[in-house]
Amino acid sequence: HVQLVESGGGSVQAGGSLRASCAVSEYHYTTYCMAWFRQTPGKECEGVAVIDNNGVTRYAESVKGRFTISRDNAKNTLYLQINGAKPEDSAMYYCAALDGYWLRPQCPLGAANFGFWGQGTQVTVS
């Protein structure tokens, strides 16, 4: 099974930038789509951004134009660049890989489709 380890979270002032990373143990069919989610206490897990193996991306409306998801398959690493950070971006951020094969043309942003998760990295914007 693929293992995911996030890093790079931390504290940033509103308007600032931060980059989170996710080390991926191996690439196979479950890593065709990889995503970043975030969650705050008492709220549902929110899909932030997803990227497929060809670099095609999707974003939640709340982060479009500010967040950038990317992947470096040679380095087995997924990234989330946060620019123009807002206090409402404060959350635990998780990277995730699919729970199986994905045959549809567009990667999902729903948590139910993802079966492998990292332990999370905290992002705090003040």
Side-chain angles (χ1 to χ4, degrees):
H1 295 299
V2 63
Q3 294 182 328
L4 308 170
V5 179
E6 300 94 337
S7 62
S11 296
V12 63
Q13 290 189 339
S17 299
L18 182 147
R19 189 176 78 164
S21 300
C22 174
V24 184
S25 62
E26 61 181 312
Y27 281 108
H28 52 59
Y29 62 89
T30 62
T31 58
Y32 177 78
C33 297
M34 295 207 66
W36 286 96
F37 291 83
R38 65 186 181 186
Q39 189 168 30
T40 54
K43 292 189 177 180
E44 289 189 2
C45 189
E46 177 190 13
V48 172
V50 65
I51 185 170
D52 72 15
N53 206 42
N54 298 311
V56 178
T57 58
R58 286 179 68 195
Y59 296 92
E61 287 296 326
S62 58
V63 306
K64 275 184 180 179
R66 300 188 299 116
F67 287 22
T68 302
I69 187 172
S70 61
R71 61 194 293 172
D72 186 335
N73 290 344
K75 295 183 178 179
N76 282 15
T77 306
L78 179 74
Y79 301 101
L80 183 69
Q81 177 69 41
I82 299 173
N83 295 328
K86 301 178 179 180
E88 52 263 42
D89 294 326
S90 297
M92 185 71 78
Y93 283 73
Y94 300 90
C95 66
L98 293 170
D99 64 358
Y101 286 101
W102 188 257
L103 302 178
R104 299 175 186 177
Q106 195 173 49
C107 284
L109 266 178
N113 300 111
F114 292 83
F116 299 96
W117 297 78
Q119 83 290 347
T121 186
Q122 179 69 39
V123 172
T124 302
V125 184
S126 59

